[in-house]
Amino acid sequence: MRRLRVLCGTAALALTLPVLSSGQAAAAVPAYAVYLQNRTTGLNAADSGGTVAQHNPKGNEDHQQWLPVAVSGGYRLQNSDESGTCLGRSGTSAVTAACGADGTTWTITSAGDDTYTVGVPGTSQYLTGAADSTAVQLGPSGDLARWYLTPVDYATTAMPSADTRRLDQVTFLTAHNAFANGADGNFASFPVSLFPNQSRGISRQLTDGVRGFMLDTYTVSGRAVLCHNSCSGVGSPVPLATDLQRIVDFLKANPGQFAAVFLEDYVSSDVLKSSLASVNGLGDVLYRPDQEGVATKGWPAMADLAARGKQLLVFSDRTRTGDAASGWTARDTFGVMYQREWTVENYWSMGSGIGSSDWSCYSRWGTARPLSTDSAAFHPLFVMNHFRDATIGATVTGDNGKLPNRAQKFCAPAARKKPNFLAVDRYDLGSPTPLTTVNALNTYILAPGQ
């Protein structure tokens, strides 16, 4: 992907900033390096010691990049970082072999929806993934035989005009465990309390340009409060309503700004509904995509949301089926969206607080909802997590400085879209800072073709 252009300013992200597009479509076989990304699983075909297997997308670190080369009778798929090595077959198994050897020529045919089949010439056998294993093999046509040829390096193009750019084209700075800041009140017992995820309170976060807030809710004395891991031993945790009120008050005082709240939700729907009811003005700014046909029509323009004063989305990580099994009221009946119906999200941890990290970018919800989940009408919002199990200042500083590279080279190809919510610990640390990275992401869109 083209290098990010880093902006100098650190102004808060407003609805009128440049935005990003999601998804691309192309029928021609690419003449550039691609990831063979299974449409059903979202995983990439990788050379794994001579066999080919589905692995979590991992940028340039796992022999996952392939270059289609036209040859007599079809194409070869040459591994980009293993000279002379191509995708081949042995019986029904996918393997790697010397380019030009028997079994290294394939047909590559558009299968619609920006997908392709990779077939054995003259047969009805195709490269297929597996829904329940890492296997890549030969098999019949079907969903598991459809592959995205996802560009390793996406081209970029000019930004849509301010009156047309959509919600799914914007990136927002997001604070992981925004409440665990050591400034607004107690959030955890010892020793977790020694490792706050943020160093500034919610009001300061808003002033600094944070627009996404990850909050963990628990029930204490019949109301939703904010704690990390549990509320055991936590004296006077901050009520959810307190932080929501701060966000709503800011939005009302700043027309044109937009925010989202992501609840790691351990409370009943009745407790959550009661807490939200105590937030003055919440209903005025709350945006309800479920009531506006977004799932079939797509996300609205940011200018439209601004004009109507619809400035806040609230998500819960609970599921509709889980609430029904518990006999609870569906949360979206009072405006809290079930997150996995509207977003995709990568796994939350890059590893422990020190040492090496895992930059692979794969779904928090596994192959049931790959990061690449998409449709022509509706593009799920992409929540990109970029943090570790524990918040260590020196580690976070280094990780946040590498955020542009991971967002651009690892997670955007894995999701086939730019991040909409870039979630980090200690957003004040790093060079460039996370806000600078967000501003840079908001200066271009992915090109509609390569």
Side-chain angles (χ1 to χ4, degrees):
M1 199 176 293
R2 293 180 185 174
R3 181 174 300 172
L4 287 171
R5 291 185 292 139
V6 177
L7 304 183
C8 296
T10 57
L13 178 63
L15 297 184
T16 54
L17 281 180
V19 298
L20 315 171
S21 75
S22 58
Q24 303 191 68
V29 176
Y32 43 78
V34 299
Y35 297 102
L36 286 174
Q37 186 175 23
N38 192 269
R39 180 180 185 270
T40 299
T41 67
L43 304 180
N44 289 345
D47 180 6
S48 182
T51 63
V52 177
Q54 294 183 112
H55 286 180
N56 292 328
K58 202 170 184 180
N60 61 351
E61 296 183 355
D62 189 42
H63 308 306
Q64 298 181 5
Q65 300 176 1
W66 307 87
L67 177 66
V69 178
V71 297
S72 177
Y75 293 87
R76 292 182 187 137
L77 286 158
Q78 181 173 329
N79 195 277
S80 294
D81 58 0
E82 295 179 315
S83 179
T85 298
C86 282
L87 178 70
R89 51 193 178 270
S90 177
T92 60
S93 298
V95 299
T96 52
C99 295
D102 289 345
T104 58
T105 298
W106 303 85
T107 60
I108 302 178
T109 306
S110 175
D113 296 330
D114 207 15
T115 66
Y116 297 80
T117 58
V118 180
V120 179
T123 77
S124 58
Q125 293 291 291
Y126 301 93
L127 193 73
T128 69
D132 56 358
S133 75
T134 63
V136 176
Q137 55 204 358
L138 299 184
S141 61
D143 283 345
L144 285 165
R146 296 174 67 182
W147 300 82
Y148 294 116
L149 303 185
T150 299
V152 168
D153 293 303
Y154 273 105
T156 61
T157 191
M159 197 59 54
S161 62
D163 61 334
T164 62
R165 57 190 62 144
R166 304 183 310 268
L167 177 60
D168 60 317
Q169 296 176 313
V170 182
T171 301
F172 298 97
L173 177 61
T174 301
H176 171 233
N177 287 345
F179 67 96
N181 54 56
D184 289 332
N186 298 326
F187 63 90
S189 59
F190 181 86
V192 176
S193 59
L194 298 177
F195 302 95
N197 298 95
Q198 308 298 333
S199 63
R200 299 169 179 174
I202 296 293
S203 295
R204 174 65 185 275
Q205 291 176 31
L206 285 159
T207 300
D208 288 346
V210 174
R211 295 294 179 267
F213 302 86
M214 293 182 168
L215 308 174
D216 296 0
T217 57
Y218 293 82
T219 302
V220 173
S221 300
R223 64 177 180 172
V225 299
L226 304 174
C227 301
H228 194 192
N229 292 349
S230 80
C231 290
S232 177
V234 181
S236 302
V238 175
L240 169 64
T242 298
D243 276 351
L244 285 180
Q245 191 69 65
R246 289 170 171 144
I247 295 168
V248 169
D249 289 348
F250 174 87
L251 293 175
K252 282 182 164 289
N254 294 273
Q257 294 294 324
F258 191 86
V261 170
F262 300 88
L263 301 178
E264 186 175 315
D265 201 352
Y266 300 101
V267 305
S268 72
S269 56
D270 286 347
V271 167
L272 182 58
K273 182 179 181 180
S274 176
S275 292
L276 267 58
S278 68
V279 180
N280 295 326
L282 175 62
D284 298 335
V285 299
L286 189 63
Y287 176 51
R288 295 287 303 272
D290 58 325
Q291 295 182 344
E292 300 193 5
V294 168
T296 55
K297 296 188 301 184
W299 297 100
M302 298 300 288
D304 171 68
L305 294 175
R308 295 191 289 134
K310 295 305 180 183
Q311 299 170 264
L312 179 66
L313 267 168
V314 180
F315 295 103
S316 169
D317 69 349
R318 296 195 68 89
T319 65
R320 185 182 302 278
T321 55
D323 278 352
S326 297
W328 293 342
T329 302
R331 289 165 203 257
D332 56 359
T333 60
F334 53 90
V336 176
M337 301 295 102
Y338 290 104
Q339 187 184 338
R340 68 190 75 183
E341 296 179 4
W342 300 96
T343 76
V344 293
E345 180 177 352
N346 66 309
Y347 183 70
W348 56 85
S349 174
M350 296 191 297
S352 65
I354 57 175
S356 60
S357 60
D358 179 5
W359 278 34
S360 58
C361 217
Y362 57 98
S363 176
R364 170 185 181 182
W365 300 305
T367 57
R369 191 168 178 80
L371 292 184
S372 55
T373 298
D374 204 8
S375 70
F378 171 66
H379 307 304
L381 303 176
F382 175 25
V383 181
M384 178 186 157
N385 295 312
H386 184 80
F387 46 81
R388 304 201 192 200
D389 296 341
T391 307
I392 309 296
T395 303
V396 172
T397 298
D399 286 347
N400 285 354
K402 299 171 184 176
L403 182 57
N405 186 45
R406 186 168 183 240
Q408 194 176 48
K409 295 292 188 181
F410 288 71
C411 291
R416 296 176 52 78
K417 59 178 72 75
K418 291 289 189 67
N420 298 111
F421 296 93
L422 208 52
V424 297
D425 286 335
R426 292 297 305 274
Y427 69 86
D428 54 306
L429 299 179
S431 181
T433 66
L435 183 57
T436 300
T437 299
V438 166
N439 286 340
L441 286 168
N442 279 316
T443 63
Y444 64 88
I445 63 172
L446 302 184
Q450 297 287 294

